[in-house]
Structure formats: C-alpha cells, structure tokens
Amino acid sequence: MYKLILFGLYVLPYLSYGQLQINGITITESGAGIPFASVLLLDPLDSSLIKGQVTNESGHYRLEGITAGDYFIKVSSVGYLDFSTPIFKINGANSPYSLGEIKLYENVALLNDVIVKARKPLYEQKIDRTVINVASSISRAGGTALDLLQRAPGVTVDKMNKSIALSGKQGVRIMINGKISRLPMEALVEMMESMNSDNIESIELITTPSAKYDAEGDGGMINIVMKKNEDMGKNGNISLISGYGNRAKYGSSINFNSITQKVAFFSDFSFRKNFQKQYIDTQWQLLTESGEINTTTIAKRNPIEGMLNGGIGIEIDLNKITLGGAINFYGRDWDMDAETNILRVNETRSIESLNMYTSEQNDWENISGNL
C-alpha cells in the first residue's frame, strides 16, 4: 500500500496536466464561418506560441491539452484583418472554455502604389495534410523539433512514455525529408529532442496518407522537412543561443554548403546544453479505518540535459539520374541529482519521514546513413 501511495504521488501531477480545452468559431460580417483560419493561443507575458490550430470547413476550432493559466488568442486569415482577444483565464472549473464567435472583417485599403510581398502563413491546410511553416514562428528560436510538435495542432507528445499521437491515434510514422525513419519511437523522440528547430523548414501533419503509405500504419505520418540552401557556390551560417530561466542554457548551430552544377555538398551541426531546476510539492490525504493520514512530498530535481545533432550529405548529378548519400547522427544525455522528502502524519500525530537521494543517467546515441 505504501508503494502504491508513493506511485500515486509521483504520477498525479502528470495525470492532471494538459486536460483543458478551448473552442470557438470564426465568422465573417455576414455570419458565415471562415474555413482554414489560423488560430494561435499565445502567452500574454511575451506573446510566445502555446498551441495552434486551423479552423475546419465551417470555421470551428478546438484547442486541447491546455494547462491552467492566462492566455489570449490571435486569429488571422488571408483577406481579413487580424483579430486578438482580450486576456482570459482558464482552469478546471471553466473548461471547456468557449470564446464563442470571433468576427473577422475584410482587409480593404486604398493605395496609390502597390508592393506585392509573399510570406508563408504559419499554418497551411492542404487536401491531405496540415503544413506548419516553422520559419514563420517566432517561438522556434532556441527550441527543438519536439518543442514544435508539442505546439502543433492535433499532436500529443508523451515524453514519459516516449510516444507521439496524431489526432488521438497511436502508431504515427515519422519521416525526415520524405523518407520514413525505421528507428523505434523511443529513439525518434530522443532524436527530435536533440534536433535544433532553426534547421527545420516545415513540419507536415499527414492524417490521411496516400496509397503508397497504407502499409505503414493507420496512425498518420509526420514529415519533418529540413532546410536546404540551394544557392550556387559556397555558403554557411552560425548561430549562438543562450538564456537563463531557473538555470542557464546555451547552444550553437553551424551549417556549410558547397553547390556547383554537378555536385552539391551539405552539412550541419548543432548542440545544446540545458541546466534545469524542478521543484514538486504534492499533498496527499488518505482516509483509512483507523483515521486520516496526510502525506507531503517535496522533490528537488536538478537535471542537466545535453543534446548533439548533425549530418553530412552529397548529391552528384549524372545527367539523367542523381546519386546521393547522407550520414546523420545524434546524441542526448540526461544527468540528474534529486532529493525527495516524504512526511506522513496521522491523527495521533505520529510522524514518519523518508528522505531519498537519487542519481539518474540516461544516454542515447545513434548514427544512420542512406544512399
């Protein structure tokens, strides 16, 4: 029984996480629903993206897996003025939270000179897939591919069990640049945790794969499209990332490309170091025949996460065919020291105290190639 209580204390915070919902509808001035409008749930502190969704054919949307807190929503659609809601609070008492009708007005302006500029929207709805144009998201900076998937509409990422679901279905297959990865899902989750989001061009969520993918499972497919510079000559770039939350974090990404009429060489490398601090305080009350038992658990965890990711590739134009090959690698290490104190008090004021010291190490490494 005591072990069961400890297990419940550990998993209870995760079971209560991400169970809230927000829904609504976007309409025109005439009251008609606006299909495929972009709906972004933003943090009022820094306008960072929390979740995103595209409205369906009738203009309805539903955001799921939201934690309690303050938010606002920004809605945009081609040909209409952007609209932002006031800040609102959502918690377990008012979920699902309904924003009702959001009316968008046509963007009508009289101009003497017209300059046409094209910019991809954050979300594009196509016949068989939803495309997330990562370059259009300010929240991508300093993140990972797994961070992007956690914010993607219809995607559920379970880090504890190393699983990914699309539209509530398990069995999702992951593709990199259109090629299906044969790695187990546990390894793929670790790989995407180490993949720098600055190197990603877009993410495609394919809920209805074409016939050639039917044998790959019915859970849908996620295609991660990496950036590829196709300018002639030699080019490259380097970026540095740093920040501080409860503890410091830093990283860097480097890529170099050399392209001629016949031969193209691509390479990229990135690493990240993230020093975290976690504090978990839970209260547990158990009613027994002999009386009431109150249990308090305080856990102090200090994980250090290191991530390494990179690859090199070459393509040779042989007139009618192209010969290409690539080698990709990634590594991730997780080191954590934790101290947990469990205090049990019953009605007779009898006290039991347990102190646990835990050291955890988890390393993942993988190298793969294709021709």
Side-chain angles (χ1 to χ4, degrees):
M1 174 62 75
Y2 188 61
K3 292 182 179 179
L4 182 61
I5 294 175
L6 291 179
F7 177 75
L9 291 173
Y10 181 76
V11 302
L12 183 61
Y14 300 99
L15 295 176
S16 60
Y17 179 86
Q19 301 299 318
L20 308 182
Q21 297 181 8
I22 300 173
N23 57 53
I25 181 175
T26 59
I27 62 172
T28 64
E29 294 180 74
S30 63
I34 302 176
F36 311 131
S38 176
V39 180
L40 306 180
L41 182 68
L42 306 176
D43 189 328
L45 295 178
D46 55 6
S47 297
S48 59
L49 177 64
I50 305 300
K51 275 280 186 180
Q53 184 63 273
V54 177
T55 60
N56 61 16
E57 291 81 355
S58 59
H60 289 86
Y61 63 89
R62 182 174 64 184
L63 298 168
E64 299 177 316
I66 310 300
T67 58
D70 295 331
Y71 303 101
F72 75 96
I73 277 182
K74 181 178 180 179
V75 183
S76 60
S77 183
V78 176
Y80 295 90
L81 297 172
D82 292 352
F83 178 85
S84 296
T85 69
I87 297 173
F88 59 87
K89 181 184 292 290
I90 181 173
N91 51 50
N94 63 1
S95 176
Y97 188 88
S98 177
L99 287 170
E101 296 180 347
I102 294 180
K103 185 179 293 186
L104 299 185
Y105 295 89
E106 290 188 16
N107 188 3
V108 180
L110 297 177
L111 303 175
N112 293 325
D113 298 315
V114 176
I115 299 176
V116 178
K117 293 183 178 181
R119 182 185 179 189
K120 291 182 178 180
L122 179 57
Y123 294 102
E124 285 186 273
Q125 185 66 50
K126 298 186 177 181
I127 296 177
D128 63 337
R129 67 193 64 191
T130 299
V131 179
I132 305 171
N133 295 303
V134 177
S136 299
S137 173
I138 61 173
S139 65
R140 81 186 196 283
T144 67
L146 202 63
D147 294 332
L148 295 172
L149 283 179
Q150 285 183 295
R151 298 182 175 95
V155 178
T156 303
V157 178
D158 186 346
K159 287 187 176 182
M160 289 183 62
N161 297 311
K162 300 292 189 296
S163 66
I164 297 176
L166 180 59
S167 299
K169 295 182 180 180
Q170 299 291 334
V172 178
R173 299 309 302 264
I174 304 296
M175 295 192 295
I176 307 295
N177 290 333
K179 298 181 178 65
I180 297 176
S181 175
R182 303 299 176 179
L183 292 173
M185 182 56 70
E186 294 84 353
L188 283 170
V189 171
E190 296 293 339
M191 181 185 72
M192 288 185 288
E193 183 71 27
S194 64
M195 187 180 293
N196 197 324
S197 61
D198 289 333
N199 295 331
I200 298 175
E201 179 70 27
S202 63
I203 296 178
E204 300 176 348
L205 309 178
I206 309 171
T207 54
T208 55
S210 61
K212 66 178 180 179
Y213 297 124
D214 283 348
E216 302 298 333
D218 60 355
M221 310 188 79
I222 297 175
N223 184 28
I224 300 175
V225 181
M226 308 301 294
K227 287 183 178 179
K228 184 176 178 181
N229 195 323
E230 298 183 351
D231 294 334
M232 299 294 290
K234 295 179 175 62
N235 58 76
N237 64 69
I238 180 172
S239 65
L240 301 176
I241 304 165
S242 66
Y244 190 90
N246 289 324
R247 300 173 73 188
K249 60 184 69 179
Y250 59 87
S252 177
S253 66
I254 304 170
N255 68 63
F256 173 77
N257 310 292
S258 177
I259 304 176
T260 65
Q261 292 288 348
K262 293 292 185 179
V263 181
F265 173 80
F266 308 94
S267 66
D268 67 84
F269 172 83
S270 64
F271 81 93
R272 287 161 47 91
K273 202 76 171 180
N274 190 4
F275 297 83
Q276 305 177 44
K277 181 182 291 185
Q278 301 173 354
Y279 181 85
I280 302 174
D281 185 353
T282 58
Q283 308 289 329
W284 187 270
Q285 185 181 72
L286 179 66
L287 300 178
T288 66
E289 295 179 356
S290 58
E292 179 182 297
I293 300 176
N294 293 293
T295 304
T296 301
T297 300
I298 297 177
K300 299 177 181 178
R301 300 150 54 98
N302 296 292
I304 302 175
E305 186 179 29
M307 291 165 284
L308 180 68
N309 187 73
I312 58 174
I314 188 170
E315 293 182 357
I316 303 173
D317 185 2
L318 302 177
N319 293 326
K320 293 185 178 181
I321 64 172
T322 299
L323 179 65
I327 297 176
N328 298 283
F329 62 88
Y330 79 90
R332 179 176 180 266
D333 60 85
W334 170 278
D335 296 291
M336 183 186 70
D337 293 321
E339 177 184 354
T340 304
N341 175 259
I342 301 175
L343 183 65
R344 300 180 66 203
V345 181
N346 59 26
E347 288 187 337
T348 62
R349 309 307 298 170
S350 175
I351 297 177
E352 295 179 4
S353 179
L354 173 64
N355 291 316
M356 295 188 298
Y357 298 91
T358 307
S359 180
E360 178 182 330
Q361 184 174 359
N362 189 349
D363 297 329
W364 288 76
E365 295 176 349
N366 178 270
I367 183 170
S368 60
N370 65 72
L371 180 66

